[in-house]
Amino acid sequence: RMARNGPLPDPILVAAPRLIRQPGPYAHVLGPDAEPIASVRPGETVAIQTADCFGGRLTREDQVPSEVLGDAPLNPLTGPIWIEGAEPGDTLVVRIDDIRPVGDRAVSCLLPFCGGLTASHEAPTLAPQLPERVWVYERTPVGGYAWGDRWEIPWAPFFGTIGTAPALETHSSLIPGPHGGNMDVPAVTIGHALHLPGPGAGSPVLRRRCPRRPGPGGAGWSSTRDRGGRHVPLRGDQGPGDRLAT
């Protein structure tokens, strides 16, 4: 656990991680203007509660997604969270110790012009749009999520959107970029470490989406998404050059 400018600090051990919740409306962009909702010390482990990508608005199978969601933004973010001492040029390392479901239900849907199962503005096709639909899944005794008695999806959570706040620009939580963002990489999960670019505003912003064993990305927003997760460790050392925050 060494960085170019010296050893990294040991993790701060606590009996129970401090829980960080969004105190007001969720953000839907990553940028330099929002005030932090909390700060994290180098080496500290915290638990962060997050929302699903629909903001909890899809709850029943008789709903029509486009009518319920309308033009409201998707991918709500918990944050920004200030990393104390982080400076431009640092690398922030987020170690994910655990991800836990908050509820016993999960939801997926088909949404027009969204995802890999249907035509979109970026990838038009001659095929008609698939009919809109919502699926609601119940958690099973073995920890998976089942749709009636038809099939069960194993619990395989990861963070769909996580990143740092750029210094000069504001990015939608729907897009990926050098700052992170909506990467949808299944490797951003329990037991792994995510290396993020050093701060513009210095604040990793977190949201959790939990597909369970699809391929990378979301096919028509049809990956299953539950109602949030916890236990996201942020252990940090911040400094100039190539020093790591871990």
Side-chain angles (χ1 to χ4, degrees):
R1 300 182 72 255
M2 295 290 292
R4 174 174 295 183
N5 294 319
L8 299 173
D10 292 328
I12 299 173
L13 301 179
V14 294
R18 172 168 57 99
L19 177 61
I20 297 175
R21 291 190 176 100
Q22 191 73 12
Y26 287 95
H28 293 86
V29 297
L30 294 93
D33 299 325
E35 290 294 325
I37 65 168
S39 63
V40 173
R41 294 170 292 156
E44 183 179 5
T45 296
V46 296
I48 300 172
Q49 185 165 317
T50 59
D52 68 39
C53 68
F54 307 116
R57 288 171 288 174
L58 292 183
T59 59
R60 308 188 317 273
E61 294 192 345
D62 61 353
Q63 291 175 303
V64 179
S66 62
E67 294 179 0
V68 174
L69 301 174
D71 295 328
L74 301 176
N75 280 14
L77 302 169
T78 300
I81 299 170
W82 184 265
I83 308 301
E84 295 181 10
E87 298 177 357
D90 290 349
T91 296
L92 303 180
V93 181
V94 180
R95 300 187 185 277
I96 303 172
D97 285 343
D98 199 1
I99 301 174
R100 301 181 187 179
V102 171
D104 293 327
R105 308 183 87 195
V107 65
S108 64
C109 78
L110 288 175
L111 192 63
F113 301 103
C114 188
L117 293 180
T118 188
S120 67
H121 301 294
E122 294 78 14
T125 72
L126 296 177
Q129 290 289 310
L130 294 173
E132 294 188 60
R133 182 170 180 177
V134 175
W135 289 265
V136 176
Y137 305 81
E138 302 287 342
R139 196 173 189 200
T140 67
V142 297
Y145 285 82
W147 185 65
D149 58 358
R150 296 289 300 277
W151 66 73
E152 181 173 341
I153 302 172
W155 168 247
F158 65 88
F159 281 88
T161 303
I162 180 172
T164 50
L168 300 176
E169 300 176 305
T170 295
H171 298 282
S172 166
S173 60
L174 292 173
I175 62 173
H179 62 288
N182 189 19
M183 299 178 289
D184 271 344
V185 177
V188 185
T189 188
I190 301 167
H192 289 194
L194 176 65
H195 293 235
L196 293 168
S203 311
V205 185
L206 308 176
R207 184 190 69 85
R208 174 161 173 263
R209 175 195 310 172
C210 287
R212 293 135 179 97
R213 310 245 184 238
W221 292 97
S222 60
S223 302
T224 334
R225 307 162 197 287
D226 77 4
R227 296 178 176 275
R230 298 179 178 179
H231 293 290
V232 189
L234 301 176
R235 306 172 190 166
D237 172 47
Q238 296 82 22
D242 293 335
R243 274 203 350 192
L244 297 180
T246 178

